[in-house]
Amino acid sequence: MASVGRYQDIFAERGARYLRALNNYPDARAEEFAAAVASARPEAGQLILDVPAGGGMLSRFLPPDCRVARLECAAGFSSGEKICPHARADGDNWPVIDQCAHQIISVAGVHHVEDKRHFFSEAWRCLLPGGTLLLAEVAANSPVAAFLDGFVDTHNPQGHHGYYLDDLATQQLQQAGFVIDSVQERHYPWHFASEQALVSFCSDQFGLQPLAQREFFDQLAAYLCIETDDQGGINLPWQLRHIRAIKPAGFDSAQPTGY
């Protein structure tokens, strides 16, 4: 991933807490990963690349007859209790042979990468002709982007400034040779059994400094509306943009068409 140094630096420090959040609350983001898989539409026997794999949660939501390879460049994700190990990528070159994958699914990782062109060219190289890249990412000017660059930026010692999906990202995908199949805004909640669970999860997921529960909720409410469900659980509304991009079947070369 181009500009990957920032991503590596962030999760060298935050990776352990991020994994702890997923281990302690494995179903909190279930709808997010399920929605990404639904948009990607993997088929039986396909090889799926999960890039960047982060907590490795995507595998839970893929059909059991799919094969999955997890690629990650941040050392903070090198181990993690229940989380499966990943293949290490150096950011600029993925340890994957040309034209081997049917699909690449990327969930909420590349908004830490300013220049996404190399990510797109590596995705092109690794995909079979006719293969699909599914980006499930934060969109520019969305409530989630405002939350990350506002609330998280304020309470994370490293700060937070994301590089979110916009028209430039779509243009760069097309310049890499991809055909845009669909662009959708997907909305769903993160689920928690209690307010305490939400605070604990978000504090670790986003590497936040300690904050009293009431203060946490009061400040969070300025960005996202927390809701209570019929069972007394807590829902945090979330949304990602899904871009489904296809490497045309007529291309036999593993090289992108150009930038």
Side-chain angles (χ1 to χ4, degrees):
M1 288 175 283
S3 303
V4 76
R6 176 67 174 150
Y7 178 91
Q8 288 177 321
D9 293 342
I10 289 170
F11 289 105
E13 294 190 23
R14 279 179 49 191
R17 291 186 67 186
Y18 184 100
L19 292 175
R20 184 169 67 187
L22 293 179
N23 285 327
N24 289 343
Y25 304 97
D27 296 324
R29 293 172 60 189
E31 290 196 35
E32 179 177 343
F33 291 104
V37 171
S39 292
R41 305 196 292 272
E43 299 178 4
Q46 289 188 333
L47 172 63
I48 313 298
L49 300 187
D50 179 7
V51 192
M57 297 293 288
L58 185 70
S59 300
R60 288 179 49 197
F61 302 91
L62 292 170
D65 46 10
C66 284
R67 297 167 291 148
V68 61
R70 305 174 189 86
L71 304 183
E72 179 56 57
C73 64
F77 292 125
S78 60
S79 63
E81 300 175 22
K82 302 175 186 176
I83 303 299
C84 298
H86 313 316
R88 287 293 303 278
D90 67 6
D92 291 329
N93 298 287
W94 300 355
V96 176
I97 63 173
D98 293 353
Q99 302 189 67
C100 68
H102 298 87
Q103 294 199 8
I104 296 170
I105 301 177
S106 181
V107 180
V110 298
H111 69 268
H112 294 288
V113 178
E114 182 176 6
D115 187 346
K116 298 174 176 48
R117 289 177 296 176
H118 198 84
F119 184 98
F120 297 154
S121 66
E122 278 294 88
W124 174 280
R125 179 184 67 79
C126 296
L127 281 170
L128 288 157
T132 299
L133 168 63
L134 191 284
L135 287 174
E137 258 301 345
V138 180
N141 303 314
S142 66
V144 172
F147 163 76
L148 294 175
D149 288 352
F151 182 84
V152 174
D153 181 60
T154 298
H155 298 292
N156 183 308
Q158 297 171 288
H160 193 288
H161 177 75
Y163 306 99
Y164 306 113
L165 292 187
D166 55 13
D167 291 342
L168 176 60
T170 303
Q171 293 169 10
Q172 289 174 340
L173 279 165
Q174 293 170 324
Q175 289 168 353
F178 286 100
V179 173
I180 306 301
D181 179 62
S182 63
V183 180
Q184 295 180 311
E185 307 299 329
R186 298 299 301 270
H187 299 257
Y188 37 77
W190 288 2
H191 294 287
F192 304 94
S194 66
E195 291 185 357
Q196 187 279 329
L198 184 151
V199 173
S200 176
F201 178 88
C202 288
S203 294
D204 278 342
Q205 182 88 157
F206 299 116
L208 307 182
Q209 295 172 315
L211 197 65
Q213 184 168 305
R214 188 70 268 151
E215 184 180 3
F216 184 102
F217 272 84
D218 289 345
Q219 293 192 32
L220 178 56
Y223 298 95
L224 300 170
C225 296
I226 302 170
E227 303 170 346
T228 303
D229 62 29
D230 295 338
Q231 289 73 45
I234 305 296
N235 293 329
L236 183 67
W238 205 253
Q239 69 181 89
L240 295 180
R241 177 172 295 171
H242 287 193
I243 299 180
R244 192 171 190 268
I246 298 173
K247 178 178 180 176
F251 284 94
D252 293 326
S253 172
Q255 299 301 317
T257 57
Y259 277 111

